[in-house]
Amino acid sequence: QVQLVESGGGLVQAGGSLRLSCAASGRRISSYAMGWFRQPPGKEREFVAVINWIGKETNYAGSVKGRFTISRDNAKNTLYLQMNSLKPEDTAVYYCAATGTYGYQTPVSYPYWGQGTQVTVSS
C-alpha cells in the first residue's frame, strides 16, 4: 500500500501562486497514475488534474486549465501541483490520490488518498 501526505497549502492573495507537494511512502509512485482533487467549502470533492505513470500524459479540469500544472518526480516519490493566477473560487481542501489506471476523473476510482491541505485565496 502507498501512503500520501500533502503539503504546501496556505493563505494567498488573488493572483498569487502556490505549489502543492504530495510525498508518497510505502510504494513507488511510478506504479500509480496520480491525481489532484479539491473540495470547496460546502461542496463535493471535484476533479482538478491527473497524470500518468511517467508524466507523459496529463488532463485538467476546465476551471484550472492554463493556470495549474500537475507534474511528478518519481525519483523523489513526489507529486506536485503548481497553481498560478489563483482565484477566490480556488479556495478548497486539496487532496492527492493514486490509482492503477490513468485518466479517471471521479474520486471513487481512487483507492489511495492523502489527508488534504487547505488552500485559501483572498480577494
Side-chain angles (χ1 to χ4, degrees):
Q1 295 184 340
V2 63
Q3 293 80 48
L4 305 172
V5 179
E6 302 95 335
S7 62
L11 176 64
V12 65
Q13 194 172 15
S17 298
L18 284 173
R19 188 180 73 161
L20 305 183
S21 298
C22 174
S25 61
R27 290 284 190 275
R28 295 175 180 175
I29 65 167
S30 59
S31 298
Y32 302 95
M34 305 290 293
W36 286 99
F37 294 79
R38 67 187 184 185
Q39 188 163 9
K43 297 182 179 180
E44 295 184 351
R45 196 167 299 184
E46 65 184 29
F47 166 74
V48 174
V50 292
I51 189 167
N52 80 336
W53 300 268
I54 59 172
K56 293 292 187 180
E57 298 182 52
T58 60
N59 198 15
Y60 298 88
S63 59
V64 308
K65 192 175 296 183
R67 299 188 297 121
F68 291 11
T69 302
I70 187 171
S71 62
R72 65 194 299 163
D73 188 336
N74 287 348
K76 296 182 178 179
N77 226 27
T78 303
L79 176 75
Y80 302 97
L81 184 68
Q82 179 67 47
M83 305 185 294
N84 298 327
S85 301
L86 283 162
K87 305 175 181 179
E89 52 262 44
D90 295 320
T91 295
V93 177
Y94 283 72
Y95 300 87
C96 67
T99 191
T101 302
Y102 168 72
Y104 292 128
Q105 298 183 11
T106 177
V108 299
S109 298
Y110 289 77
Y112 308 110
W113 292 86
Q115 83 292 341
T117 186
Q118 177 71 49
V119 172
T120 303
V121 184
S122 62
S123 59

